[in-house]
Amino acid sequence: MTRITTLDDADAVATRASREIARLLEDALGRRGMAHLALSGGATPAQTYELLAEGITDWTGVHVWFADERCVPPEHEQSNYLLARRTLLDRIEIAAEHVHRMKGELGPDQGACDYASELAGLTAAELEAATSVPRQTSAANHGGAAAPKPLPVLDVIVLGIGPDGHVASLFPGASTLRAGDQAICLPVNDSPKPPSERITLSLAVLRAARRCVLLATGAEKANAISAALAAPSEQVPASLLARERLTVIIDDGAAAANPAA
Ligand code: 6PG
């Protein structure tokens, strides 16, 4: 069941979101001794990240990943990594090897391939792979029966949403939405939101996550939120998220087109 919380304004959204994300991470840490968090870019989550930095006292077991990245250097103003550094990573004690940066400077294809390897490289035990969504490797690779490779399962993925209903860098009608349940990380060369070259987690990885936390504020997101909660459609990537593992935290402006929200 999708959990929808509507609050007065953006400050209240950031406060509630940071508390919910902290709760989800603490739960994962308690259950498995580690927690895998993926961050999106954009303006909406920045305040949430700043509050999250104070929301968890011990970040030792947390791994920080990224839901998407622009193909720019990590110090570039458009970098999602730079946003995360300024609002969260530079404010917490976290091991460098626990921060898994998408290397946008490699370009879409190499960057996506590199990240898929890193994410897949974590052992099944570390990611508590969701055996319900095994990935079949080709028999040719192993000369025998296909050995199912589990799809990485992240604990919390923080998502913004565009006015067009995109999440991460999965855009309406894009071929990335049809990459299948074996895809982990994908190149984007034609993003309608600048810059055009990006790297994005796949829809399969978003859908496999234990929880996606979708944040939206302002009337300009109202139609996107309404469409995200309506029937699934490739024209609204947010509507393709796993509804039973989705938390939506929005303000009155973003809820305006969806009385149920
Ligand atoms: C990106 C983001 C993207 C963003 C939405 C919402 O790299 O641009 O990951 O998915 O979250 O476009 O952005 P705003 O919060 O700025 O509206």
Side-chain angles (χ1 to χ4, degrees):
M1 180 67 180
T2 300
R3 297 175 189 157
I4 305 171
T5 302
T6 303
L7 299 159
D8 289 346
D9 54 32
D11 288 349
V13 166
T15 300
R16 177 66 64 87
S18 63
R19 288 176 181 164
E20 176 62 10
I21 295 163
R23 184 188 69 80
L24 291 164
L25 293 176
E26 298 281 12
D27 180 66
L29 290 166
R31 291 172 188 270
R32 290 179 292 279
M34 64 178 59
H36 294 275
L37 166 68
L39 305 177
S40 286
T44 306
Q47 191 181 354
T48 296
Y49 297 162
E50 290 172 344
L51 295 173
L52 183 61
E54 302 149 21
I56 293 186
T57 49
D58 183 358
W59 285 82
T60 306
V62 179
H63 287 251
V64 175
W65 302 84
F66 287 83
D68 70 337
E69 182 57 279
R70 295 85 176 275
C71 287
V72 296
E75 66 279 359
H76 191 286
E77 277 306 312
Q78 287 185 315
S79 164
N80 290 346
Y81 169 75
L82 183 61
L83 170 74
R85 260 198 54 200
R86 285 173 172 165
T87 56
L88 176 62
L89 300 176
D90 286 353
R91 301 168 183 232
I92 61 176
E93 291 289 321
I94 187 169
E97 61 271 20
H98 279 198
V99 178
H100 306 274
R101 185 175 68 84
M102 279 183 175
K103 299 180 179 67
E105 68 275 16
L106 297 178
D109 292 334
Q110 186 56 50
C113 182
D114 178 90
Y115 209 67
S117 300
E118 182 170 2
L119 196 49
L122 278 171
T123 63
E126 284 174 313
L127 281 172
E128 284 274 286
T131 51
S132 61
V133 279
R135 294 175 62 235
Q136 298 297 327
T137 50
S138 66
N141 292 345
H142 298 272
K149 275 175 68 68
L151 199 66
V153 176
L154 297 169
D155 291 291
V156 186
I157 301 179
V158 182
L159 297 170
I161 186 171
D164 61 359
H166 79 257
V167 287
S169 286
L170 299 167
F171 292 95
S175 59
T176 48
L177 297 171
R178 294 178 295 281
D181 62 3
Q182 302 186 35
I184 294 178
C185 192
L186 299 165
V188 176
N189 292 286
D190 55 356
S191 167
K193 177 181 181 183
S196 59
E197 293 191 336
R198 293 159 170 256
I199 302 163
T200 186
L201 290 184
S202 68
L203 181 61
V205 169
L206 298 190
R207 289 177 55 82
R210 289 190 174 88
R211 183 62 58 173
C212 280
V213 179
L214 178 62
L215 311 179
T217 58
E220 70 275 13
K221 301 296 176 73
N223 289 335
I225 287 295
S226 181
L229 298 173
S233 165
E234 283 196 4
Q235 293 312 308
V236 186
S239 71
L240 302 175
L241 295 170
R243 302 286 176 99
E244 69 279 11
R245 290 192 297 278
L246 177 61
T247 294
V248 177
I249 305 177
I250 55 180
D251 69 357
D252 289 335
N258 189 300

